[in-house]
Amino acid sequence: MSKTVRPLEGKTALITGGSRGIGRVIAQALAFEGADIAVVSSGSGPEAADVCREIAAECGVRTAHYRCDVSDFARTREMVDAVRSDFGGIQILVNCAGITRDGLILRMKEEDFDRVIDVNLKGAFNMIRHCSGIFLRQREGCIINISSVVALRGNPGQANYAASKAGLIGLTKAVARELAGRNIRCNAIAPGFIESSMTEGLSRDKITAAAALGRIGRPEDVAQAAVYLAEASYVTGTVLTVDGGLAM
Ligand code: NAD
């Protein structure tokens, strides 16, 4: 009996923010398709190591965890080098690490604006910057940036977050144009409200009413889109909204 080859077998996916929430489920979904998984997170807790153990046991792929603050240019370079040397290459980069520091514009602190831009936007730049050399040499690469519907429609109290996520869309399109000739694709996903620690304190009723499909999203809904983009060889420079019809 012949063994079924999974679509992402032989590829390595690096997922920032892969220790929990949406990133964790994206890591699981890509592993299910056969990809080896490098999980990057900023936390010192055991959750990332647990995710790696779980994925390796469930999917029979290689996994490893790297602790790194994505906003640090020098550290991200060292981390990307370590992943490449441990796995022999990187074919898929998912920029999912993200934070919120909400506040009304009248009172928003400068450091809260700067930190959100540093992690959400510059973090993605750092990762793309360091992975692009590897992608160019391989003549293969796929970048998936996790943006947000608030980049498209705004949200009161989230000027910093919306700006960072809108910046990610510009970054996505510029990189897609720049690297398309080398078989490197770059796309973004714009999730609506998704069940995770980031949306824990928000009103369920308001979220449910805002989405045409009448429910909050699940991390699995976003992971499904990530798998699609990882495998969609003729799709680049696009922003895929996964929002239950919130922003249409
Ligand atoms: P989460 O808070 O559950 O997870 C965030 C992850 O990012 C964690 O793994 C954390 O370790 C990592 N992280 C945070 N700062 C980091 C740093 N400086 N360096 C490295 N890693 C860092 O969040 P989530 O809800 O799963 O969100 C994941 C992504 O999806 C974020 O980019 C978020 O902006 C985006 N998003 C979330 C929603 C939602 O409703 N939850 C909606 C749209 C977009």
Side-chain angles (χ1 to χ4, degrees), residues 8 11-15 18 23-24 26-40 51-52 55-56 59 61-66 83 87 92:
L8 299 181
K11 298 188 193 294
T12 296
L14 189 169
I15 300 106
R24 175 186 184 130
I26 290 176
Q28 282 168 330
L30 295 175
F32 194 72
E33 298 288 295
D36 291 326
I37 300 293
V39 169
V40 174
V51 174
C52 286
I55 291 175
C59 304
V61 298
R62 280 187 63 193
T63 61
H65 170 230
Y66 302 82
V83 175
F87 285 84
I92 301 163

Side-chain angles (χ1 to χ4, degrees), residues 157-180:
Q158 291 201 306
N160 50 358
Y161 183 76
S164 72
K165 294 296 183 179
L168 265 184
I169 292 177
L171 179 67
T172 298
K173 293 185 183 219
V175 169
R177 284 192 186 278
E178 214 172 294
L179 301 181

Side-chain angles (χ1 to χ4, degrees), residues 212-225:
L213 288 176
R215 69 166 174 87
I216 188 166
R218 293 178 292 257
E220 288 75 8
D221 296 318
V222 183
Q224 204 170 43

